[in-house]
Amino acid sequence: MAIFFRQLQGHTFNGNLADLLAEQQRFRAQQFSGLMEIENSNSICIVVVLAKGETVNAYLLQEEARLPTVLLENLQRWEDATFSVRSLPLSDVATRLLWLALDSQPGPCFEIRGAKDWQDWLNACQDEHVTGVVEIHSEACDGFFYLHNGQRLENESIFALQENLYSQVPFQAESSPWKVRLNTPRPETLAWQSLHLRVGAGQWFWHTLNRYQRIAGQRLTQILTHHLLPTIREWDWEIGPSSNTLEDRHFFARPSLAAEAYRALFMKVGEQMGIVLGSQLAQRFLSQAFEQIPPGERSVLTSHRLLPAAFVD
Amino acid sequence: MQPSRSTYIKWGSAAISLIWLAVYVWFYRANPFGGPAYDYADNWGIDLLTFVPALAAAGMATLVALQYQPGEIPRRIWLTFAIGWWCWVGGEIAGMVYDYFYWDTAYPELTLIDLCWSAGYILFGLALFYQFRAIYAEEEKNSTYLYLTLCAAALILTLGLTYLARRSGLGEDVSAFALYLAILYPVFDLVEGGAALWLFLLFRRGKWGRPWWGLIAFAIADSISIYFWIGGDEALSQKTVDILYLFSDTTYVGAYLIVALAFLSHYYMLQWPPASPKPNRP
C-alpha cells in the first residue's frame, strides 16, 4: 500500500479505529513526525501528516487530487471495520515537504530518463524561475524538493533511497525513469505560509548577521549565535545557527509556532546586537536586513508580527 | 551568581583608575617634590602620571585589535586607532625628553612632539573614518580618496583660520608655521571630538562606542586650553583659571584611562567561549 517514501519500511498493520488511535498516541508519546497511510478495501486512501506527534492535517487521495479532509469523519463513513495502515516516522524536513506537496496544486506527471534530461529540466526551471514542490517517484527513490525561483533549496530537499533519507539528488544511483510532478503551492495554505516564514526568517537572519559581522567581526558574531543555543536547546527546536545561517530543520505544526520560535531567536539577536552596538544601530541593521528580504517573504513575516521594531529595546 | 574573574578585573581597573586620577590631582596641587614652587621633579612626576595611562590605552587598543583576524573591518579600525595612541605615547615620551633638554628655554617651533601629535590625530581621524564607513556604507568600498579630501579640507580650513588669527593679532610672537600648528590641534579636536560625539550618540549604551569616549574627553580638555590660549583667561579670576587648568589636565589623563578601560571591557567581550547565557522562554 505504500504511497510516499516507498523505500522506507515503516510499520504496516491491519486494524480498527482503536488501533489507529493507539498508533497516533505512540507518535505523540515519542514526538515523532511522519505520516500514516490508511487504506480501506475499496482502495480509498487517506494520508495523515504528523508533526512531533501532533496531527497537522489529513488528505484524501483521489486519482490526481489531494483533498484536505477530516480523518474521523471519513473513517466513520467507511463500511469496513478494519483497514490497512502504514505508519512511517520521518525526519521533520521530509514530513514538512510532504505536507507542502499535499497542500499544493498537483501538476501533470511526466517522465524523465537519465541525468542529461534531468539537468535540462532543472535548467529550464531555473530560466523560468519556477517555484513549486517537485515530487519524484521511481523504483529506487522517492523524494521531494522545493524550487524557489528556479533554485533548489538544499534545506528543503529530501530523497528516500535504500531505507535512508538524503538531501542530495541521488540520480546517478539508478537507471529507471523518474516520474516527476511539479506541485504549485497555494498561498492560502498553512504549509506554504510556514515555508515562506521559514525562508523569510532565514534570509533575515543571514542578512542581519552578515551586516553585524562586517562591523563587529567574526568572533562577536560567533558569540551572538552562541547565545541563541540555550533557547534552542530548551525548546528542543531543530534549528542550527551556523555560518550566519539559520538552518531550520524543525517541523512546526503551525506557522504561529514557528513565528514564536523565530521571535524568541530574533529577540536574542536584537538583545546581543544592542549590548555591543547599542539599540539604535541594532534597530537600523535589523531594518536594513529586513528590507533586503523579497516582498513575499517579508509580508508573511509582517503578518506574524516579526518586525525589526519588535526586537530591540 | 558569583561575579566572574573578568568582572573583578574590570571593576578593579576602574577603581585603580579613579585612585590614579586622585593621586594625579593631589600631585598637581601639592607639588610634593618642589615645595611651593613647581619644578622639574614635579613636572617629571606629572609626566609619568600621564605617560602610564597613555601606555595603558595604546597597549589595550593593540591587544584588542589583534583579537580580530587580518582583513576584518574591526581590526582595521582598532589597529589604526591603536597606532594613533602609540603616536601619542611617543608624544608623551618626546615631551619628557624635550623637558629635560629645554627646561630652562623655549621649545623649538617644530618638535618631535608636534609630529607625534599630528600623526596621532591623522590616525584617529582615519580610524573614525573607517568606523563611519562600516556603519553607513552597506558595501565595502575603497574610499581612501574621500579621507584624503577630508584631511586636505581640514588643512585648508586651518590655513584660513591661521590667516584670520594673524589678522586679529593672535600669536604675534610666533612664526606663521607655529601659529598654523597651534590652530591645527583645535581644528582636529573639533572635528574628531565632534565625530566621536556623533558615534557616542549612535552607539549610546553599546559597548562598541566606548573607546571613542576618550576622544570626546580629549576635545573637552583641549577646548579649555584653547579658550585660555585665545585670551579667555583674562575674563576669569586666577582661582577659576587654576581650577579650569586642573580640570583640563585631569580630564586629559582621564581620557587615556577611559580609552584603556573601554578596550579592557572590549577585550573581555571578545573572550571565547563566552559566559553561558541564561535561557529565556518566549
Side-chain angles (χ1 to χ4, degrees), chain B residues 57-219:
Chain B
M60 284 310 304
T62 309
L63 186 65
V64 165
L66 295 179
Q67 301 301 305
Y68 294 95
Q69 297 296 313
E72 284 194 285
I73 290 174
R75 184 177 170 114
R76 193 183 307 158
I77 295 169
W78 296 137
L79 202 57
T80 310
F81 202 42
I83 298 170
W85 291 116
W86 283 116
C87 287
W88 278 28
V89 167
E92 300 292 351
I93 295 170
M96 287 192 263
V97 172
Y98 274 86
D99 277 348
Y100 179 79
F101 288 107
Y102 295 95
W103 182 250
D104 296 319
T105 56
Y107 284 2
E109 278 195 349
L110 177 65
T111 62
L112 193 60
I113 307 171
D114 292 313
L115 293 178
C116 289
W117 291 141
S118 304
Y121 273 124
I122 288 168
L123 288 162
F124 293 155
L126 189 59
L128 282 163
F129 179 74
Y130 286 148
Q131 180 66 88
F132 277 108
R133 198 174 62 175
I135 295 169
Y136 289 107
E138 288 189 34
E139 298 296 324
E140 198 167 349
K141 286 178 243 170
N142 185 358
S143 39
T144 314
Y145 286 119
L146 180 60
Y147 180 64
L148 292 176
T149 310
L150 289 172
C151 283
L155 294 175
I156 292 166
L157 174 70
T158 309
L159 203 62
L161 289 172
T162 309
Y163 174 73
L164 287 176
R166 225 1 154 211
R167 278 189 63 178
S168 57
L170 273 174
E172 282 170 334
D173 50 341
V174 294
S175 71
F177 178 71
L179 186 63
Y180 181 82
L181 263 186
I183 291 174
L184 185 63
Y185 295 147
V187 169
F188 276 137
D189 273 329
L190 193 73
V191 173
E192 294 180 4
L197 191 66
W198 188 345
L199 287 177
F200 168 75
L201 294 173
L202 266 181
F203 287 113
R204 292 189 190 169
R205 290 170 62 196
K207 289 182 180 178
W208 198 269
R210 291 180 191 170
W212 304 113
W213 296 1
L215 289 184
I216 300 172
F218 275 116

Side-chain angles (χ1 to χ4, degrees), chain A residues 173-241:
Chain A
E174 60 165 332
S175 54
S176 63
W178 281 14
K179 283 186 177 162
V180 178
R181 184 199 302 275
L182 178 68
N183 301 292
T184 309
R186 297 185 178 105
E188 70 278 11
T189 60
L190 293 181
W192 185 89
Q193 285 175 28
S194 287
L195 176 86
H196 268 235
L197 196 57
R198 192 159 61 238
V199 172
Q203 288 180 341
W204 192 15
F205 188 84
W206 190 82
H207 287 301
T208 303
L209 263 70
N210 271 359
R211 187 73 181 89
Y212 180 71
Q213 186 173 317
R214 219 165 70 74
I215 190 165
Q218 208 173 342
R219 180 96 59 92
L220 281 173
T221 312
Q222 280 177 340
I223 290 171
L224 186 152
T225 47
H226 176 87
H227 279 85
L228 304 179
L229 298 179
T231 309
I232 291 170
R233 284 196 200 113
E234 193 185 8
W235 288 88
D236 282 331
W237 292 326
E238 288 180 48
I239 298 176

Side-chain angles (χ1 to χ4, degrees), chain A residues 142-153:
Chain A
D142 280 1
F144 297 90
F145 64 89
Y146 189 71
L147 276 178
H148 186 72
N149 290 327
Q151 300 289 334
R152 183 171 75 87
L153 300 186

Side-chain angles (χ1 to χ4, degrees), chain A residues 11-56:
Chain A
H11 176 215
T12 310
F13 60 94
N14 283 313
N16 55 19
L17 182 59
D19 296 326
L20 182 66
L21 293 176
E23 186 64 2
Q24 277 191 333
Q25 180 55 36
R26 186 175 75 89
F27 266 62
R28 197 171 298 128
Q30 310 260 5
Q31 293 208 317
F32 280 153
S33 296
L35 64 90
M36 284 188 195
E37 293 167 344
I38 305 147
E39 190 177 38
N40 69 6
S41 55
N42 296 328
S43 296
I44 296 174
C45 188
I46 293 173
V47 177
V48 182
V49 177
L50 299 106
K52 304 285 181 197
E54 190 180 334
T55 302
V56 176

